[in-house]
């Protein structure tokens, strides 16, 4: 809301879609501010975490695995390479393609980002008990999985 002192109409203030959207806005802000405080962005975290989990990969594979559009991937890789967080090297099997690898400096940055992300999660979920947090995560995962399957997004992310 533009003016938080104004109340939302009762018609929608208890709708799950409204509550998810408003909470999502807070989550996005908290995470963006948290990453910014350590000189990073969400794409940086997603790319570094993808490299750590799956190992070196082409830009196209990283895009599919991280959900970062290829048009944003090159800029993100360049930002990370300029900071020595990732390395680009020609693919020995196809010299037209680059393979991206995580550096030791990149692993240390990923640990910093994970620490900030955990702090952001704690701030976002502060009013909930550990059991409520686990249940909320379970329910949100179920909702997301359902809608991803309905729209074919779950299949795309496995390619």
């Amino acid at each position: 809301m533009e003016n938080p002192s104004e109340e939302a109409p009762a018609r929608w203030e208890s709708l799950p879609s409204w509550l998810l959207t408003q909470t999502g806005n807070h989550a996005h802000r908290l995470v963006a501010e948290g990453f910014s405080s350590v000189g990073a962005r969400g794409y940086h975290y997603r790319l570094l975490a993808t490299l750590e989990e799956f190992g070196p990969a082409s830009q196209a594979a990283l895009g599919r695995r991280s959900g970062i559009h290829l048009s944003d991937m090159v800029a993100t890789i360049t930002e990370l390479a300029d900071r020595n967080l990732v390395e680009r090297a020609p693919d020995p099997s196809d010299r037209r393609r680059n393979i991206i690898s995580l550096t030791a400096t990149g692993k240390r940055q990923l640990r910093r980002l994970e620490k900030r992300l955990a702090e952001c999660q704690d701030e976002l979920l502060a009013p909930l008990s550990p059991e409520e947090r686990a249940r909320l995560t379970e329910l949100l995962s179920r909702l997301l999985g359902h809608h991803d399957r309905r729209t074919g997004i779950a299949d795309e992310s496995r390619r």
Side-chain angles (χ1 to χ4, degrees), residues 12-29 124-125 128 135-147:
W12 72 64
E13 68 183 359
S14 63
L15 291 172
S17 57
W18 170 259
L19 295 167
L20 283 168
T21 300
Q22 297 309 302
T23 303
N25 290 338
H26 288 292
H28 180 77
R29 177 186 50 78
L124 177 68
L125 302 173
L128 303 179
R135 183 69 177 142
L136 176 64
T137 301
E138 176 189 328
L139 292 170
L140 290 172
S141 294
R142 189 180 340 158
L143 277 172
L144 181 60
H146 168 78
H147 290 288

Side-chain angles (χ1 to χ4, degrees), residues 43-153:
Y43 278 179
H44 296 168
Y45 170 74
R46 287 166 55 186
L47 187 58
L48 295 173
T50 300
L51 283 168
E52 184 176 63
E53 185 167 337
F54 295 102
S58 69
Q59 292 175 182
L62 287 171
R64 286 188 301 274
R65 289 176 179 152
S66 68
I68 299 172
H69 194 274
L70 288 178
S71 64
D72 295 318
M73 182 59 70
V74 173
T76 302
I77 290 170
T78 298
E79 290 171 8
L80 295 174
D82 288 348
R83 296 170 59 191
N84 192 36
L85 303 175
V86 300
E87 290 179 340
R88 267 187 271 223
D91 184 341
S93 64
D94 183 351
R95 306 293 272 168
R96 297 167 296 173
R97 181 171 55 188
N98 284 319
I99 297 295
I100 312 305
S101 302
L102 186 61
T103 66
T105 304
K107 286 181 184 181
R108 286 190 298 276
Q109 176 69 350
L110 180 57
R111 297 291 86 78
R112 281 189 289 277
L113 295 178
E114 288 173 334
K115 183 177 186 284
R116 283 301 297 135
L117 191 54
E119 292 166 355
C120 294
Q121 302 306 302
D122 283 343
E123 186 175 346
L124 177 68
L125 302 173
L128 303 179
S129 70
E131 295 78 21
E132 289 170 324
R133 290 176 185 204
R135 183 69 177 142
L136 176 64
T137 301
E138 176 189 328
L139 292 170
L140 290 172
S141 294
R142 189 180 340 158
L143 277 172
L144 181 60
H146 168 78
H147 290 288
D148 280 353
R149 283 187 299 279
R150 283 186 57 228
T151 59
I153 292 173

